[in-house]
Amino acid sequence: ELKVEQNPLFLSMQEGKNYTIYCNYSTTSDRLYWYRQDPGKSLESLFVLLSNGAVKQEGRLMASLDTKARLSTLHITAAVHDLSATYFCAVDLGLNTGNQFYFGTGTSLTVIP
Amino acid sequence: DSGVTQTPKHLITATGQRVTLRCSPRSGDLSVYWYQQSLDQGLQFLIQYYNGEERAKGNILERFSAQQFPDLHSELNLSSLELGDSALYFCASTLGVMNTEAFFGQGTRLTVV
């Protein structure tokens, strides 16, 4: 079964600082997704990464995918309080498995003023 | 707003009861996925329907069942409810079987007492 691990599980960082969240997965896949979830809310799509070496940026967030290492990173630049949320990575194995997501454990990010 | 509608938003029921959760996918989307989010299990895939047919099954208990109707809305039926079934249940939809991005509804918070 596909395992998806994120670290850290909890992250407290000061405004203005940089940090990286890591997502490792156990089975070959070139399809990785990042979602954001605010407490008690739904999951909001952040990035869709569909090939080795894919890099996408939106505002202070940048995501990358290394399929050989089975690793994706979500880099936060100059954090602001509004980025406080839980971030999930998710992997799917493609058509044969129905494209369902295997989610990581989530990283709960708190940005402190 | 993702365009995926779930009802009800909250549900409180007693052990042993049966409930039905409803999901309307985004307009034009043919695939519906159900996920369960709980503190101890995280986000887990339950089941997927594509254009009315079951497409993939995950960690769905035998007490749970789902269907997708001709108008593409889906229902998740949970029966013989136990305390451990208390969770947030999300529905997601994608355009086709080979999705590149899934859009999640606001979820139904089920509390079993």
Side-chain angles (χ1 to χ4, degrees):
Chain A
E1 184 184 303
L2 174 60
K3 300 285 186 196
V4 183
E5 293 182 348
Q6 283 181 241
N7 70 82
L9 296 183
F10 299 94
L11 177 55
S12 181
M13 56 191 298
Q14 286 194 311
E15 277 190 334
K17 298 292 188 184
N18 305 332
Y19 208 84
T20 300
I21 298 170
Y22 297 88
C23 173
N24 288 93
Y25 53 97
S26 61
T27 302
T28 301
S29 173
D30 56 3
R31 303 165 62 85
L32 190 130
Y33 311 79
W34 284 95
Y35 281 85
R36 167 184 171 143
Q37 185 180 34
D38 291 297
K41 304 291 187 184
S42 186
L43 288 97
E44 175 192 350
S45 177
L46 294 176
F47 299 108
V48 178
L49 305 169
L50 299 178
S51 62
N52 185 40
V55 177
K56 290 198 175 176
Q57 181 162 7
E58 181 73 35
R60 300 173 188 275
L61 301 178
M62 183 173 72
S64 66
L65 177 61
D66 180 344
T67 59
K68 290 184 173 57
R70 300 177 187 170
L71 170 69
S72 179
T73 60
L74 180 66
H75 187 72
I76 303 156
T77 302
V80 293
H81 181 68
D82 284 352
L83 291 180
S84 297
T86 298
Y87 294 84
F88 291 94
C89 63
V91 178
D92 81 52
L93 298 179
L95 191 61
N96 289 337
T97 61
N99 289 331
Q100 70 267 30
F101 289 151
Y102 295 84
F103 280 93
T105 45
T107 296
S108 176
L109 170 66
T110 303
V111 181
I112 304 166
Chain B
D1 182 5
S2 67
V4 179
T5 304
Q6 288 188 249
T7 56
K9 286 190 170 49
H10 302 277
L11 201 45
I12 301 174
T13 191
T15 54
Q17 295 298 304
R18 172 189 168 94
V19 297
T20 297
L21 313 184
R22 183 188 168 101
C23 169
S24 294
R26 288 189 319 156
S27 177
D29 282 1
L30 299 178
S31 266
V32 170
Y33 303 75
W34 286 97
Y35 289 88
Q36 179 194 59
Q37 185 177 33
S38 62
L39 281 175
D40 54 344
Q41 298 287 331
L43 268 159
Q44 287 206 82
F45 167 70
L46 296 177
I47 197 163
Q48 179 204 5
Y49 279 82
Y50 173 71
N51 204 20
E53 304 270 335
E54 183 184 300
R55 184 76 175 83
K57 226 169 182 175
N59 297 323
I60 187 166
L61 299 171
E62 284 191 13
R63 300 183 285 110
F64 296 180
S65 64
Q67 53 184 327
Q68 187 179 27
F69 294 87
D71 67 352
L72 300 177
H73 91 270
S74 178
E75 292 181 356
L76 179 67
N77 300 298
L78 315 175
S79 61
S80 303
L81 285 167
E82 302 175 358
L83 295 178
D85 297 327
S86 296
L88 197 48
Y89 291 85
F90 285 109
C91 164
S93 74
T94 61
L95 178 59
V97 174
M98 195 68 177
N99 66 286
T100 57
E101 190 171 13
F103 294 88
F104 283 77
Q106 292 296 313
T108 293
R109 181 168 293 283
L110 173 66
T111 303
V112 182
V113 296

